[in-house]
Amino acid sequence: MNQTIFVLEDDTDISRLVRHHLEAAGFQVRLYGNIGTIVQDAERKPPVLFLLDIMVPGGDGLDLCRRLRQNASLATVPLVFLTARASENDRVLGLDLGADDYITKPFSPRELVARVKAVLRRFERPTSPSLISFDQVAIDASAMQLMVRGEMTGTTATEFRLLEYLARHPGRVFTRDHLLDAVWGDARFVTPRSVDVYVRRIREKIETDPENPRYLKTVRGAGYRFEMPKAV
């Protein structure tokens, strides 16, 4: 299995530090000082994960994230930001663009490796087939695929895990804190507001009218509930 991580980082000392610790953890690392040929290289042989700085010469890690999430062959590859931009708005923007984690500098190399592994675990697929279908939506956990109205709909691993978790427990109300524990585990960058960002992204993919959701309901003062349509 390919275990190569593409790292976008223009600071030589940081990129060497990151490579040393990721290689010590068993990964292969390909370093980039600018955006350059990252997309083309990834299309030829996708990495297992992208680790992106935001502020780099000749481009922007956020723009690269947008390009990757719009690329059909690369949209589902896990993506983590490693950046000095640490405000809540920056974190939410990173999430909104489809990042699976957001790590701020200065950082602990051991924590970086642990969080990279945690993100990759979200992509682990169940050993037995698991399909949830309703109306014109099909959630195939074994293949990590979402079909909506007969069309394959791209999701990030985190979006898929949150959707599957909610759909697997229809009728139950989950607080944001519960969903953080169930889907993100110990990822420290996420907040209750992060859950709201992901719920909005999921609604845009499965709901005919995201502003008036039929399936993924908000329970005011409590959290979210997934409503499975009743069989006719």
Side-chain angles (χ1 to χ4, degrees):
M1 179 179 178
N2 175 30
Q3 287 288 303
T4 301
I5 294 176
F6 281 14
V7 177
L8 174 64
E9 173 58 67
D10 66 305
D11 186 300
T12 304
D13 291 335
I14 293 178
S15 64
R16 287 175 178 169
L17 179 68
V18 169
R19 179 171 63 184
H20 171 76
H21 285 275
L22 288 176
E23 288 181 344
F27 297 101
Q28 298 177 29
V29 177
R30 188 162 181 174
L31 298 176
Y32 295 84
N34 54 63
I35 291 175
T37 62
I38 288 181
V39 176
Q40 297 94 312
D41 293 346
E43 286 177 331
R44 283 193 291 270
K45 189 174 183 180
V48 71
L49 181 139
F50 292 102
L51 184 63
L52 307 181
D53 192 5
I54 290 179
M55 297 174 289
V56 292
D60 183 310
L62 295 173
D63 288 336
L64 176 58
C65 180
R66 289 188 188 94
R67 289 173 60 191
L68 293 170
R69 289 308 184 222
Q70 292 169 0
N71 186 305
S73 64
L74 300 173
T76 60
V77 176
L79 189 152
V80 175
F81 280 117
L82 177 62
T83 176
R85 291 174 59 167
S87 74
E88 183 182 12
N89 285 339
D90 286 326
R91 292 168 185 255
V92 170
L93 177 57
L95 281 176
D96 203 20
L97 292 175
D100 295 288
D101 202 345
Y102 193 105
I103 303 171
T104 57
K105 302 173 182 176
F107 62 95
S108 159
R110 290 180 63 186
E111 182 184 355
L112 169 67
V113 172
R115 288 169 67 172
V116 163
K117 289 181 177 179
V119 168
L120 292 175
R121 280 196 297 272
R122 293 183 210 159
F123 276 69
E124 294 176 355
R125 301 176 182 182
T127 55
S128 58
S130 181
L131 180 67
I132 304 171
S133 61
F134 52 92
D135 288 351
Q136 298 184 64
V137 179
I139 305 167
D140 186 347
S142 61
M144 286 194 72
Q145 293 180 343
L146 172 65
M147 295 284 291
V148 180
R149 290 177 284 280
E151 295 185 0
M152 191 73 69
T153 302
T155 67
T156 67
T158 307
E159 291 168 359
F160 190 90
R161 280 196 60 179
L162 178 57
L163 171 60
E164 188 209 9
Y165 186 81
L166 288 163
R168 197 163 295 285
H169 301 89
R172 289 183 57 181
V173 176
F174 292 109
T175 66
R176 292 168 176 82
D177 286 337
H178 178 100
L179 293 172
L180 287 175
D181 290 338
V183 176
W184 283 268
D186 60 356
R188 300 178 184 177
F189 85 113
V190 290
T191 65
R193 186 179 174 191
S194 304
V195 177
D196 297 338
V197 172
Y198 274 95
V199 166
R200 176 172 55 79
R201 291 172 63 91
I202 291 170
R203 283 173 172 161
E204 290 172 351
K205 295 179 179 183
I206 68 169
E207 302 281 0
T208 303
D209 181 1
E211 297 301 319
N212 297 284
R214 179 182 178 189
Y215 311 117
L216 187 42
K217 302 280 192 177
T218 299
V219 181
R220 294 191 179 279
Y224 295 104
R225 180 182 69 245
F226 196 92
E227 291 192 1
M228 193 69 72
K230 295 180 180 179
V232 179

